[in-house]
Amino acid sequence: MQDEIINRVANSKLITINLEDYYPQGKRVLFDIKEWLFEGFVLREKDFREQVKLFDWSQYKDAYVALTCSSDAIIPAWAFILISLHLEPFAKKIVIGNLELLETSIFQDVLNILDVSEFANKPIIIKGCSKKPVPQNAYIMLANKLKPFAQSIMYGEACSSVPLFKSK
């Protein structure tokens, strides 16, 4: 008589948290203002304001937008603020920076409202590999938020996890 194969992972109390499950839908856009600068380096206020005024911002409806300037121009803070005020009625979120900073900011918002009390005194695995662009900072933010509640925190998959924290 052969021994029955038992799936110990399925029968365990381990809870796997996959940050992909919290990934908000919506287009991510890097908006570069370089093309609105004179010769790509000089912000002429009158011309810049005219570009902002005439631009069709509605194309960014429900998008997440990172504002940047890919040239070495020195951009006054008001320029990005002006753009954000025009984007605000359409975009879900606006930041100054690159797409990684945008994703980090999006996940910060998501994790700020995540109720982790359901994970109290339970062993948690933070799933590592993802197909969506989950920023590394999101894993750190999640682990720090879970630490006061979780019995233990591991990273990876149930079959090959790396222990990170165990409560006393």
Side-chain angles (χ1 to χ4, degrees), residues 76-137:
W78 66 260
F80 289 118
I81 297 168
L82 180 65
I83 291 172
S84 75
L85 291 172
H86 285 266
L87 268 171
E88 184 273 329
F90 305 103
K92 288 183 179 179
K93 183 163 195 71
I94 307 158
V95 300
I96 298 172
N98 58 25
L99 292 174
E100 183 177 354
L101 178 70
L102 177 63
E103 288 297 342
T104 298
S105 182
I106 292 168
F107 269 95
Q108 188 170 27
D109 292 346
V110 168
L111 292 173
N112 280 342
I113 61 171
L114 180 66
D115 180 13
V116 295
S117 62
E118 67 181 283
F119 305 119
N121 302 314
K122 295 182 180 160
I124 308 294
I125 294 179
I126 299 172
K127 187 175 183 301
C129 299
S130 64
K131 294 176 180 140
K132 296 178 181 173
V134 177
Q136 289 293 312
N137 282 319

Side-chain angles (χ1 to χ4, degrees), residues 156-168:
E157 301 288 336
C159 60
S160 62
S161 60
V162 177
L164 301 173
F165 167 78
K166 187 165 180 84
S167 65
K168 296 177 184 175

Side-chain angles (χ1 to χ4, degrees):
M1 185 180 215
Q2 289 184 336
D3 291 335
E4 181 182 340
I5 297 174
I6 298 171
N7 185 339
R8 288 185 290 166
V9 171
N11 293 335
S12 76
K13 295 179 183 178
L14 286 173
I15 296 174
T16 300
I17 300 176
N18 184 352
L19 283 172
E20 278 188 327
D21 295 342
Y22 300 96
Y23 187 85
Q25 295 303 311
K27 181 170 62 170
R28 273 62 167 173
V29 178
L30 186 65
F31 187 92
D32 190 351
I33 67 167
K34 177 184 173 184
E35 301 305 316
W36 289 2
L37 305 179
F38 178 70
E39 295 183 357
F41 287 100
V42 178
L43 187 147
R44 290 183 171 168
E45 183 176 350
K46 184 178 178 185
D47 296 339
F48 186 82
R49 285 181 179 276
E50 189 66 17
Q51 291 271 21
V52 171
K53 181 180 174 185
L54 296 175
F55 192 78
D56 177 16
W57 297 105
S58 66
Q59 63 186 299
Y60 296 103
K61 182 163 179 42
D62 296 328
Y64 297 92
V65 182
L67 303 174
T68 193
C69 182
S70 62
S71 74
D72 289 331
I74 297 172
I75 307 299
W78 66 260
F80 289 118
I81 297 168
L82 180 65
I83 291 172
S84 75
L85 291 172
H86 285 266
L87 268 171
E88 184 273 329
F90 305 103
K92 288 183 179 179
K93 183 163 195 71
I94 307 158
V95 300
I96 298 172
N98 58 25
L99 292 174
E100 183 177 354
L101 178 70
L102 177 63
E103 288 297 342
T104 298
S105 182
I106 292 168
F107 269 95
Q108 188 170 27
D109 292 346
V110 168
L111 292 173
N112 280 342
I113 61 171
L114 180 66
D115 180 13
V116 295
S117 62
E118 67 181 283
F119 305 119
N121 302 314
K122 295 182 180 160
I124 308 294
I125 294 179
I126 299 172
K127 187 175 183 301
C129 299
S130 64
K131 294 176 180 140
K132 296 178 181 173
V134 177
Q136 289 293 312
N137 282 319
Y139 295 100
I140 292 171
M141 290 184 281
L142 177 60
N144 285 316
K145 186 163 185 160
L146 288 169
K147 185 180 175 189
F149 297 92
Q151 175 188 24
S152 63
I153 301 172
M154 294 166 273
Y155 177 83
E157 301 288 336
C159 60
S160 62
S161 60
V162 177
L164 301 173
F165 167 78
K166 187 165 180 84
S167 65
K168 296 177 184 175

